Amino acid sequence: MRVIPSLLAALLFSFPAHAQLKNENLLVAMPDGYKVGFQDKNAHQQITEMVQDGQSVKDWTDMVTVQIFFNMTNVTPAAYKQRA
């Protein structure tokens, strides 16, 4: 029975995408019935807006937005609020 956990660990750590993950990582699955309506990334942030099939980011009733901010380790919430 020890072989199975070892095999699973070996597969997990040999998976190529694992090498690209660094620091904290947010892994988000696309909700059923949704599509990416908008996506952008720069040195400071990444945003993905997902809308239901048949809708757009300009005409939607339900939207899921994931926004990731990079290099924010020394920024307090009050300091971020002043930047925005």
Side-chain angles (χ1 to χ4, degrees):
M1 289 305 245
R2 287 183 165 185
V3 173
I4 293 174
S6 298
L7 180 59
L8 290 174
L11 288 172
L12 176 64
F13 290 111
S14 65
F15 189 71
H18 180 267
Q20 297 173 6
L21 299 178
K22 297 178 183 177
N23 303 321
E24 294 183 42
N25 296 277
L26 177 64
L27 305 176
V28 179
M30 180 78 63
D32 289 337
Y34 279 72
K35 65 181 180 185
V36 173
F38 175 77
Q39 192 169 33
D40 195 21
K41 181 179 180 180
N42 61 35
H44 305 289
Q45 66 183 349
Q46 176 178 331
I47 186 170
T48 302
E49 295 176 337
M50 296 167 270
V51 293
Q52 290 182 327
D53 292 337
Q55 297 180 12
S56 71
V57 294
K58 294 186 185 229
D59 184 24
W60 56 272
T61 56
D62 294 302
M63 178 186 288
V64 176
T65 301
V66 177
Q67 203 167 2
I68 302 170
F69 300 95
F70 305 118
N71 304 316
M72 298 285 287
T73 56
N74 296 323
V75 179
T76 65
Y80 175 76
K81 185 178 177 183
Q82 288 179 343
R83 282 179 28 173

